[in-house]
């Protein structure tokens, strides 16, 4: 029997932390993000990037998580912007978020297909097309997506723990080898506060994408007033410090004088080549785990998109059929919709890549690079807009919060996020490796902005044609008195469950 409720009170803080971190993919950042940042920026200050971005996002989280205590909705950005800025703006944010999350998830199939095909070829000699391995991943994600969130949380938890173990081992190896000695050169001011800072921040922010997804699961956590906030802060702090340390370790392990040049020469293969020289067995295991980490990211973003479809269907922004759940509490129709979109887009790129001059790199340079960078552009823009919505919401909802929570933290976060957004836009040609004047520099960000504009138009249409639905959109977000009592009465059971 279908319902309009997600599976309530299932996720503990630890489970939600794993889901959030899985979206940022520690091993993917180590192997792909960090070398790319060194290569494109040409600076040693990559570790500082993660610290600065972490601070900006922690400031954003101050108001964001406080607002999550009062508003539980699977369409987090949609709900918060609606409550702060109005229904029409909320619908625009929802459509923009839906497009961005879908682009992020679908684009990752390009990298997964390439990496998985290479892995199989290296171990077996069997040459499989990228789209075939991507299809296998699609099937796994589609099947897990319609199951209870508990299963996804367990799968993601195992993969994330293995990723952390491997990255820690790599970091320790790098520091112990240190061909030029253990150096703090990466933390020098002139390696960060220079003209290249824009490139550093634009590329570095991708490592944090997905941290905001904690609020998406606010209807499914053990304690909606505490779990989301705790999990978001824990995940942010872990991501920022862990990636900063790992970026520094990579620089030390390769050598400060050569890490930029080596990154430019080998790109994402730098870590695996370096590992192969010192521990071929670990290199092979890391390669395998790199592929499974990409699968975890695909699943994490799939779950986020499915819940956005659910939230928008339940509020009648999209067809009502999307706003129902299966007997196991999963947003089945939303999950199937996301899987369908992914299949169509990946199939389109598979056909376009037949006989293409880029060869095996086609899915990486096109499907992965184009879509994920456009998605990062959209999500950073949404974070900035949400910060403004948080300030506006606290202005009209005096909840005995201090000026730090209501004004200062979200205001500084808005300035920081807007600066990063502009940096991404200015450096978008570098991010997608396009030639100056290429149409793609305008098309990909343009698709994101267009989705927001269409959302505004759709909001106007709903207001005119279905005024009652339009007015009722805010009513479903605030936690009710009955739910508050139920949470208080069930807190002991929830605490017990969270420790299991």
């Amino acid at each position: 029997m279908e319902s309009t409720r997600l599976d309530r009170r299932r996720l503990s803080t630890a489970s939600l932390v794993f889901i959030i971190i899985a979206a940022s993919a520690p091993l993917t950042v180590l192997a792909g993000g960090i070398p790319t940042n060194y290569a494109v920026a040409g600076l040693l200050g990559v570790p500082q990037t993660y610290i600065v971005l972490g601070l900006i996002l922690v400031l954003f989280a101050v108001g964001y998580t406080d607002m999550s205590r009062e508003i539980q909705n699977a369409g987090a950005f949609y709900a918060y912007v609606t409550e702060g800025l109005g229904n029409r703006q909320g619908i625009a944010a929802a459509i923009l978020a839906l497009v961005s999350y879908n682009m992020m998830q679908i684009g990752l199939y390009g990298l997964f297909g390439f990496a998985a095909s290479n892995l199989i070829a290296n171990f077996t000699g069997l040459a499989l097309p990228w789209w075939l391995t991507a299809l296998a991943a699609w099937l796994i994600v589609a099947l897990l997506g319609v199951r209870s969130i508990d299963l996804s949380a367990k799968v993601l938890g195992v993969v994330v723990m293995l990723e952390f173990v491997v990255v820690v081992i790599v970091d320790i190896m790098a520091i112990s080898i240190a061909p030029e000695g253990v150096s703090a050169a990466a933390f020098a001011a002139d390696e960060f506060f220079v003209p290249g800072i824009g490139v550093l921040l634009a590329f570095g922010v991708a490592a944090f994408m997905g941290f905001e997804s904690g609020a998406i699961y606010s209807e499914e956590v053990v304690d909606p007033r505490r779990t989301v906030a705790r999990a978001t802060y824990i995940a942010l702090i872990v991501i920022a410090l862990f990636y900063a340390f790992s970026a520094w370790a990579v620089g030390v392990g390769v050598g400060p004088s050569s890490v930029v040049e080596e990154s430019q020469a080998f790109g994402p293969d730098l870590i695996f080549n370096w590992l192969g020289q010192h521990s071929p067995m670990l290199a092979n295991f890391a390669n395998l785990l790199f592929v499974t980490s990409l699968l975890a990211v695909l699943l994490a973003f799939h779950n986020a998109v499915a819940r956005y479809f659910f939230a928008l269907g339940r509020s009648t922004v999209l067809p009502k059929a999307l706003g129902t759940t299966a007997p196991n509490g999963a947003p089945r129709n939303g999950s199937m919709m996301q899987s369908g979109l992914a299949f169509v887009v990946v199939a389109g790129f598979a056909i376009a890549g037949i006989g293409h001059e880029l060869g095996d790199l086609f899915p990486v340079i096109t499907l992965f690079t184009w879509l994920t960078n456009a998605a990062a552009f959209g999500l950073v823009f949404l974070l900035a807009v949400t910060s403004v919505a948080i300030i506006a919401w606290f202005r009209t909802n005096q909840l005995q919060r201090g000026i730090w929570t209501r004004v200062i933290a979200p205001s500084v976060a808005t300035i920081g996020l807007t600066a990063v957004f502009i940096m991404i836009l200015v450096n978008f040609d570098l991010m997608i490796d396009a030639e100056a004047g290429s149409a793609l520099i305008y098309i990909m960000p343009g698709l994101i902005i267009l989705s927001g504009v269409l959302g505004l138009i759709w909001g106007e249409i709903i207001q005119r044609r279905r005024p009652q639905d339009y007015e009722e959109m805010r009513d479903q977000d605030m936690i009710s008195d009955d739910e508050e009592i139920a949470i208080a009465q069930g807190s002991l059971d929830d605490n017990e469950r969270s420790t299991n």
Side-chain angles (χ1 to χ4, degrees), residues 13 68-69 221 223-232 487 491:
T13 299
S68 75
R69 294 185 172 96
V221 295
D223 182 349
R225 288 202 180 278
R226 296 180 180 85
T227 303
V228 171
R230 283 197 301 250
T232 300
I487 291 169
S491 61

Side-chain angles (χ1 to χ4, degrees), residues 147-498:
R147 299 290 299 276
S148 168
I149 189 62
D150 283 357
L151 180 59
S152 291
K154 291 173 183 176
V155 171
L156 295 175
V158 171
V159 174
V160 168
M161 286 304 297
L162 288 173
E163 286 185 76
F164 269 110
V165 170
V166 170
V167 175
V168 167
I169 293 173
V170 171
D171 290 348
I172 293 173
M173 283 180 58
I175 295 171
S176 64
I177 293 170
E180 299 174 25
V182 177
S183 168
F187 295 99
D190 59 1
E191 290 291 346
F192 184 73
F193 294 102
V194 291
I197 187 175
V199 178
L200 282 171
L201 294 174
F203 275 86
V205 75
F208 292 88
M209 290 299 95
F211 90 89
E212 76 291 341
S213 64
I216 292 175
Y217 299 92
S218 59
E219 298 182 49
E220 299 168 87
V221 295
V222 166
D223 182 349
R225 288 202 180 278
R226 296 180 180 85
T227 303
V228 171
R230 283 197 301 250
T232 300
Y233 280 121
I234 291 170
L236 264 179
I237 293 170
V238 168
I239 290 170
L241 296 180
F242 190 65
Y243 290 169
F245 180 80
S246 296
W248 170 72
V250 168
V252 169
V254 177
S257 66
S258 56
V259 66
V260 170
E261 182 180 346
E262 293 284 305
S263 295
Q264 292 170 341
F266 297 106
D269 287 332
L270 172 67
I271 299 299
F272 299 118
N273 289 342
W274 181 85
L275 274 177
Q277 298 171 12
H278 301 285
S279 176
M281 184 178 295
L282 181 59
N284 289 333
F285 182 66
N287 256 307
L288 174 62
L289 198 57
F290 176 63
V291 172
T292 60
S293 75
L294 288 172
L295 184 62
V297 183
L298 284 166
L299 179 58
F301 277 107
H302 171 89
N303 285 335
V305 173
R307 280 152 182 79
Y308 252 97
F309 274 127
F310 166 79
L312 296 181
R314 184 176 57 184
S315 64
T316 71
V317 173
L318 294 180
K320 287 184 179 180
L322 293 171
T324 59
T325 58
N328 63 7
R332 181 172 58 193
N333 292 345
S335 176
M336 293 172 64
M337 175 64 78
Q338 201 285 320
S339 295
L341 284 173
F343 184 86
V344 170
V345 174
V346 172
F349 273 86
I351 294 170
I354 296 174
H356 198 278
E357 60 183 10
L358 291 174
D360 292 340
L361 285 173
F362 174 81
V364 178
I365 294 176
T366 59
L367 177 57
F368 170 69
T369 302
W370 295 354
L371 269 64
T372 57
N373 281 301
F377 169 82
L379 291 174
V380 172
F381 177 69
L382 272 172
L383 289 173
V385 171
T386 304
S387 280
V388 175
I390 289 168
I391 297 170
W393 186 77
F394 276 117
R395 185 177 299 167
T396 56
N397 293 269
Q398 299 296 328
L399 299 173
Q400 297 183 337
R401 305 301 201 269
I403 191 172
W404 169 255
T405 300
R406 292 184 291 106
V407 180
I408 297 176
S411 295
V412 176
T414 301
I415 295 170
L417 289 166
T418 302
V420 174
F421 165 75
I422 293 171
M423 290 173 189
I424 292 175
L425 190 59
V426 170
N427 293 286
F428 202 75
D429 57 335
L430 294 175
M431 297 184 73
I432 64 172
D433 195 23
E435 296 180 359
S438 170
L440 285 171
I441 300 172
Y442 309 99
I443 291 174
M444 299 313 295
L447 289 174
I448 296 295
I449 300 300
L450 178 62
S451 67
V453 173
L454 291 176
L456 283 172
I457 296 171
W458 183 237
E460 181 67 24
I461 292 173
I462 293 175
Q463 184 180 24
R464 292 175 181 270
R465 295 184 178 179
R466 295 186 277 125
Q468 184 175 352
D469 289 342
Y470 184 84
E471 293 301 324
E472 291 176 353
M473 285 179 181
R474 298 193 188 193
D475 296 340
Q476 60 183 301
D477 300 329
M478 298 295 288
I479 188 167
S480 68
D481 292 337
D482 290 341
E483 289 175 315
E484 180 75 61
I485 294 170
I487 291 169
Q489 291 177 339
S491 61
L492 178 59
D493 293 336
D494 295 336
N495 289 334
E496 290 174 353
R497 186 188 310 170
S498 68

Side-chain angles (χ1 to χ4, degrees), residues 30-72:
L30 176 72
I34 291 172
T36 299
N37 218 341
Y38 276 121
V40 179
L43 297 167
L44 294 179
V46 175
Q48 299 182 63
T49 303
Y50 298 110
I51 295 173
V52 171
L53 288 170
L55 289 172
I56 292 173
L57 295 176
V58 164
L59 289 172
F60 168 82
V62 171
Y64 184 70
T65 57
D66 203 290
M67 201 168 171
S68 75
R69 294 185 172 96
E70 309 300 328
I71 299 171
Q72 283 83 53

Side-chain angles (χ1 to χ4, degrees), residues 10-28:
R10 303 286 292 183
L11 296 174
S12 65
T13 299
S15 297
L16 189 54
V17 168
F18 284 131
I19 290 174
I20 295 171
I21 293 180
S24 73
L27 190 56
T28 303

